[in-house]
Amino acid sequence: MKEQRSSYTNKNRKKFNKILLLAIEAALICVIVAVYFIYMKNFYHKDGNSNTVKTGQNSSGKKGSSGKNTNVKGTPTPTPLTEEEKREKEAKELLEKANLSAMQYDYDKAITMVKGFDNYTQVKILTDALSGYEEKKSTLKRFGAYDSASQINHIFFHILVADDSKAFDGDYKQKGYNYYMTTISEFNAMLQQLYDQGYVLVKLHDVSKKGKGKDGSVSFEPGDIMLPPDKKPLVISQDDVNYYEYMTGDGFAKRIVLDKDNSPTTEMVMDDGSVSVGDYDMVPLLEKFIKEHPDFSYKGARAILALTGYEGALGYRTNDASSPTYKQDKESVKKIVKVMKERGWEFASHSYGHRNMEKATYNFIVKDTDRWEKEVGSLIGPTDILIFPFGIDIETTMGHYNSDKFKYLKKSGFDYFCGVFKEPWMQIKTDYVRMTRRPMDGQAMLEFPERLKDLFDLSKVIDPNRPKWEK
């Protein structure tokens, strides 16, 4: 019996030892697994800043494909700002906006913004900025470096050549492009030289404006452009912003569009047929330049875009009611124009059919003007600027306009009339304004370079790929 009991006890002890060993192994496995998960949690969520996303999760913390809630836990809650810190943050944000206005010579707006901040006198960064604005404002001079509005230059371009290898490829259209067009590299070089010489972009309506006399009568008078004494106001415009069909495939933009940030830019069709959005014409290039050089723009001014109507507007064929995209195209133009006007762009009529308005009959002027208003004016809204086709004025008189053509155009709402001349010339009358423009095209640069020597060093402007001049 003793031997049997001893044998039974030994068996139980061995069985117990096995169970104990298995329990110890299980405990060790649990410890290892726990340590592993703690380590991985810290690896993925250290400081709450990791962008790593686990399977079944998305970066927003919402439910992923697994259907499980993926909100990241353990992210430290930001310490709420004190009232003093909030106020300081708001003051800095306000100051950024005010400084931009000041850089664009709108010191009154900057001053008003600062003074509109609650108890601004108790915020040092605001009072310091205010003193700076007022000091700089006191140094401004009407028309800056000029003595009168008549000295202000108004320069203009046509659609810019984005790919000169296509525009200047030796075909029958090369000569016309060489004559009338400017390349993107030339435009950029001109902008930089203008900026370096102290030119500042202004609106035509800043140059001369409507004023009221003591008797209540309305008349035009020189504007009140207030600039530092070394700055020179400048007006820029662009003709035929329609992107005509004949330009297709010749290295030009296709149309103006709004990018993902709702900023005006351009589309261009590439060699493989794809459409690229980018800086392929004056609008996005000028926008980019002003963003980099805010002080090139007086109170946010941009340029004037002059539109004909016989092939639509801004690259959209709004003249063709049979087009399947007709209604959509009209809405696109309206939307683009709205955004551009908010940014400081102005729009002008370049007539409907781009005909010589001096030679045209009165009846033709009436029909042409009415059609432009119906097809283009209805999309871009009212404009009082008329830029003459070919730069040819309706009259040769140096006195007051007196023709029936003028009377009809005036009745149609036009107050500003722009022709072309080799140098600045301006006429401000009680009921209208005439202002000449200077072309910045191939003919001006190659045939008449002396006419631009006051503005540019053409040796640093002319595109080396531009063809030699031939009349």
Side-chain angles (χ1 to χ4, degrees):
M1 288 294 291
K2 288 184 178 179
E3 291 178 357
Q4 290 179 349
R5 187 178 300 166
S6 174
S7 174
Y8 178 79
T9 301
N10 289 335
K11 289 181 179 179
N12 284 342
R13 185 179 294 112
K14 290 180 179 179
K15 186 176 181 180
F16 174 80
N17 288 340
K18 286 182 179 180
I19 294 173
L20 179 62
L21 182 61
L22 289 173
I24 293 172
E25 289 177 349
L28 287 173
I29 292 173
C30 289
V31 171
I32 292 171
V33 170
V35 170
Y36 173 80
F37 276 103
I38 291 172
Y39 170 79
M40 293 305 293
K41 180 178 179 181
N42 288 335
F43 178 81
Y44 279 107
H45 304 297
K46 186 178 181 180
D47 297 328
N49 292 325
S50 175
N51 290 324
T52 304
V53 180
K54 295 182 180 180
T55 302
Q57 293 182 343
N58 56 44
S59 59
S60 65
K62 297 180 181 179
K63 290 184 178 181
S65 59
S66 67
K68 296 181 180 180
N69 192 316
T70 60
N71 283 324
V72 177
K73 296 180 181 180
T75 302
T77 302
T79 304
L81 297 176
T82 65
E83 289 302 316
E84 183 178 352
E85 289 172 333
K86 285 182 181 179
R87 184 170 166 79
E88 182 179 356
K89 180 182 178 183
E90 291 170 357
K92 289 180 178 178
E93 291 174 349
L94 173 74
L95 199 56
E96 285 184 14
K97 297 177 181 178
N99 282 339
L100 177 59
S101 293
M103 288 182 70
Q104 298 189 324
Y105 316 101
D106 197 347
Y107 294 105
D108 286 335
K109 182 177 180 180
I111 290 170
T112 299
M113 290 172 69
V114 170
K115 289 186 175 181
F117 191 82
D118 188 39
N119 291 324
Y120 73 90
T121 56
Q122 304 302 313
V123 184
K124 188 175 186 304
I125 59 173
L126 295 183
T127 55
D128 287 348
L130 189 62
S131 297
Y133 300 155
E134 291 173 338
E135 181 181 354
K136 290 179 180 178
K137 179 185 174 182
S138 67
T139 66
L140 302 182
K141 177 179 174 290
R142 192 183 189 194
F143 300 124
Y146 295 144
D147 297 320
S148 69
S150 62
Q151 294 175 275
I152 297 175
N153 277 285
H154 183 165
I155 64 174
F156 80 98
F157 303 84
H158 287 97
I159 301 303
L160 303 180
V161 175
D163 187 342
D164 51 26
S165 68
K166 294 178 180 178
F168 305 139
D169 59 358
D171 67 6
Y172 72 98
K173 290 183 281 186
Q174 173 178 288
K175 186 174 181 180
Y177 294 148
N178 194 30
Y179 196 98
Y180 293 113
M181 306 306 194
T182 309
T183 69
I184 282 180
S185 67
E186 291 169 340
F187 178 78
N188 286 335
M190 288 179 179
L191 277 189
Q192 189 62 54
Q193 286 195 35
L194 290 168
Y195 177 75
D196 292 341
Q197 294 180 70
Y199 284 93
V200 176
L201 182 61
V202 301
K203 292 183 178 181
L204 179 57
H205 290 91
D206 291 330
V207 176
S208 180
K209 60 183 181 180
K210 287 182 179 179
K212 283 188 176 182
K214 294 181 179 179
D215 60 353
S217 61
V218 177
S219 63
F220 286 89
E221 58 187 32
D224 293 312
I225 299 172
M226 301 301 292
L227 287 169
D230 61 337
K231 297 296 184 181
K232 295 170 280 191
L234 170 77
V235 179
I236 296 178
S237 57
Q238 185 178 33
D239 287 1
D240 302 287
V241 189
N242 302 80
Y243 303 98
Y244 300 127
E245 292 290 351
Y246 80 86
M247 302 164 71
T248 302
D250 283 342
F252 296 92
K254 178 184 179 181
R255 63 183 179 178
I256 295 177
V257 295
L258 299 177
D259 65 16
K260 58 183 177 60
D261 297 319
N262 209 38
S263 297
T265 185
T266 48
E267 282 184 347
M268 184 172 176
V269 179
M270 312 310 285
D271 290 339
D272 61 1
S274 63
V275 177
S276 174
V277 176
D279 303 335
Y280 300 118
D281 199 12
M282 187 182 81
V283 169
L285 290 170
L286 189 56
E287 283 286 337
K288 181 179 180 180
F289 191 85
I290 291 173
K291 185 176 181 179
E292 295 172 352
H293 309 86
D295 54 331
F296 183 64
S297 171
Y298 179 74
K299 297 184 178 181
R302 298 298 195 271
I304 304 167
L305 301 187
L307 312 178
T308 58
Y310 65 92
E311 283 194 15
L314 305 183
Y316 299 84
R317 300 299 172 243
T318 54
N319 59 304
D320 182 8
S322 66
S323 168
T325 59
Y326 177 65
K327 291 183 179 180
Q328 179 184 338
D329 287 346
K330 290 201 298 181
E331 292 306 310
S332 293
V333 171
K334 289 179 182 179
K335 183 179 179 180
I336 293 167
V337 168
K338 182 178 183 296
V339 170
M340 293 185 69
K341 284 184 175 180
E342 290 171 351
R343 286 173 169 258
W345 292 88
E346 296 186 288
F347 292 83
S349 169
H350 200 37
S351 82
Y352 185 86
H354 203 278
R355 302 293 181 84
N356 183 324
M357 297 182 78
E358 180 188 8
K359 292 183 178 181
T361 65
Y362 169 79
N363 288 336
F364 177 86
I365 296 294
V366 170
K367 292 180 180 178
D368 184 87
T369 302
D370 289 351
R371 190 171 183 184
W372 186 90
E373 180 57 40
K374 179 181 178 181
E375 295 187 21
V376 184
S378 60
L379 303 179
I380 69 169
T383 180
D384 55 2
I385 306 172
L386 176 59
I387 290 179
F388 296 123
F390 309 107
I392 302 174
D393 207 321
I394 51 173
E395 297 181 32
T396 57
T397 178
M398 296 296 288
H400 195 288
Y401 279 145
N402 55 24
S403 66
D404 289 338
K405 293 179 185 179
F406 162 70
K407 292 175 184 177
Y408 190 79
L409 292 171
K410 177 67 179 177
K411 180 182 176 182
S412 300
F414 296 108
D415 295 322
Y416 296 83
F417 300 88
C418 300
V420 173
F421 194 52
K422 63 181 180 179
E423 58 189 32
W425 181 84
M426 192 171 194
Q427 186 183 64
I428 300 177
K429 296 292 186 180
T430 57
D431 52 347
Y432 69 87
V433 175
R434 290 165 86 181
M435 187 181 200
T436 57
R437 306 180 303 153
R438 301 172 68 178
M440 301 291 114
D441 52 28
Q443 183 188 28
M445 289 188 282
L446 301 178
E447 187 176 10
F448 304 110
E450 70 280 358
R451 295 181 181 178
L452 300 182
K453 64 181 181 180
D454 62 315
L455 296 175
F456 311 111
D457 177 355
L458 290 176
S459 68
K460 298 178 181 179
V461 170
I462 297 176
D463 192 321
N465 295 322
R466 179 179 283 281
K468 293 182 179 180
W469 179 251
E470 55 177 313
K471 293 186 179 181

